[in-house]
Amino acid sequence: MIRPAAVLVLGTCVACGGTSNDVAGAGGSAGLAGAGGSAGSGLGGQPSGGSGGSFIDAGSTDAGPEGGSCPDGGIPGEPGCDCGKLEFAIDTKQSCAISLNTTVDGEGFIQLGGQSHRVFAMDRWGKGHVIAWCDATTLPELLDAFDVKGYLGQVKDPKVASFGDEYLCQPGKIPGHPLQSWVQYQGFDLPAKYKGNAAALAQDFDVVVFCGFRNNWPTDWSAEISDYVQTQGKGFLAVMDYEGVVQGADFTNMSKITGQAGIVFEPLNLAWAPSSTSVSIECVPDLPPPPR
């Protein structure tokens, strides 16, 4: 397979009153690829690249507090700017897509047949943080790509819980492709003691990872997870996969949670067409996490 060239996208610290640079094409004022595109498509500047392969591309689009500016590299702690530079590369497999009803701090795309599809989004959500990822097969790669648990947990040694699909969300289930051992799998569902008690969940864990498919959705956690992130200041990683292994009800139920943050999972089956790429977002708020 001929792989398209890597695309490197740089942006100034839009979270600190700067503007985003769309180096891959003409973009809208909201940032690199625009927000709110249907089926996860970037509707602003569409990244360039050949058909038949896929790449992940990323940009920071959220306008934040005014004053100050990030120097190149996004050094945390600078006056008016608390952010860090994000760089990672992942070969995606089959995946779904993400659409947005908001602007976000970071987003990533794959390109198939000349069209862009959003598969990654990260943002602040109330007092906490949220990441959405559309390729559960590469969840271990995502967790290794940058300090995901540090960004979401915002503490030195975050305690991480997971639940949902046991095959892809439980450490040790895939011997040759294991999920990180610091993830504590809770089962198909979170323990009942957390129902109506997001404060208790926040006391026990700093980050919750949810593989929202093949679990029959025994409990509606949308209110608790919203409270857990927005009010308790914790982190949530929503993990989905391609349509087929993930059913229509799964997309609807997961989007009931993440839709409160403006992030919607779309039922698509994007072909398995991996490529090696580089991603760079110059200044992501709260990355790395501020010392506490």
Side-chain angles (χ1 to χ4, degrees), residues 161-251:
S162 71
F163 75 108
D165 178 63
E166 65 172 350
Y167 186 68
L168 293 169
C169 228
Q170 180 179 0
K173 291 298 289 188
I174 309 177
H177 190 243
L179 194 62
Q180 284 76 352
S181 60
W182 41 259
V183 176
Q184 301 178 46
Y185 183 67
Q186 304 297 298
F188 287 107
D189 202 14
L190 283 175
K193 65 181 179 179
Y194 298 129
K195 184 61 182 173
N197 197 350
L201 181 60
Q203 185 175 11
D204 292 343
F205 296 103
D206 303 296
V207 178
V208 169
V209 181
F210 183 21
C211 293
F213 50 93
R214 295 192 295 212
N215 73 326
N216 296 322
W217 293 88
T219 310
D220 180 356
W221 292 104
S222 55
E224 288 81 5
I225 290 176
S226 175
D227 187 0
Y228 174 78
V229 180
Q230 293 197 79
T231 304
Q232 306 297 328
K234 299 300 182 176
F236 180 59
L237 172 53
V239 182
M240 297 292 274
D241 216 301
Y242 63 92
E243 184 181 25
V245 68
V246 182
Q247 302 300 309
D250 299 325
F251 287 106

Side-chain angles (χ1 to χ4, degrees), residues 19-263:
T19 58
S20 178
N21 294 328
D22 181 355
V23 299
S29 60
L32 170 74
S38 62
S41 298
L43 298 181
Q46 181 167 293
S48 59
S51 61
S54 70
F55 66 83
I56 294 180
D57 180 16
S60 178
T61 63
D62 193 16
E66 296 181 358
S69 61
C70 272
D72 289 345
I75 301 173
E78 289 290 320
C81 189
D82 196 1
C83 68
K85 185 174 182 178
L86 173 64
E87 291 184 293
F88 67 85
I90 295 178
D91 290 351
T92 61
K93 311 301 181 184
Q94 285 176 281
S95 64
C96 60
I98 295 167
S99 63
L100 299 177
N101 297 318
T102 185
T103 54
V104 295
D105 290 333
E107 51 189 327
F109 300 83
I110 63 174
Q111 181 164 340
L112 293 170
Q115 293 189 345
S116 299
H117 301 277
R118 186 183 296 103
V119 296
F120 169 81
M122 62 189 299
D123 202 17
R124 291 158 289 173
W125 183 14
K127 294 181 179 179
H129 298 77
V130 60
I131 290 177
W133 179 240
C134 246
D135 182 21
T137 304
T138 57
L139 178 57
E141 285 84 348
L142 178 68
L143 294 179
D144 276 342
F146 65 101
D147 188 7
V148 173
K149 66 176 180 177
Y151 168 76
L152 289 173
Q154 295 290 301
V155 294
K156 183 178 180 181
D157 295 307
K159 294 177 291 184
V160 182
S162 71
F163 75 108
D165 178 63
E166 65 172 350
Y167 186 68
L168 293 169
C169 228
Q170 180 179 0
K173 291 298 289 188
I174 309 177
H177 190 243
L179 194 62
Q180 284 76 352
S181 60
W182 41 259
V183 176
Q184 301 178 46
Y185 183 67
Q186 304 297 298
F188 287 107
D189 202 14
L190 283 175
K193 65 181 179 179
Y194 298 129
K195 184 61 182 173
N197 197 350
L201 181 60
Q203 185 175 11
D204 292 343
F205 296 103
D206 303 296
V207 178
V208 169
V209 181
F210 183 21
C211 293
F213 50 93
R214 295 192 295 212
N215 73 326
N216 296 322
W217 293 88
T219 310
D220 180 356
W221 292 104
S222 55
E224 288 81 5
I225 290 176
S226 175
D227 187 0
Y228 174 78
V229 180
Q230 293 197 79
T231 304
Q232 306 297 328
K234 299 300 182 176
F236 180 59
L237 172 53
V239 182
M240 297 292 274
D241 216 301
Y242 63 92
E243 184 181 25
V245 68
V246 182
Q247 302 300 309
D250 299 325
F251 287 106
T252 298
N253 289 330
M254 181 65 93
S255 294
K256 183 177 179 180
I257 300 173
T258 59
Q260 299 171 92
I263 298 170

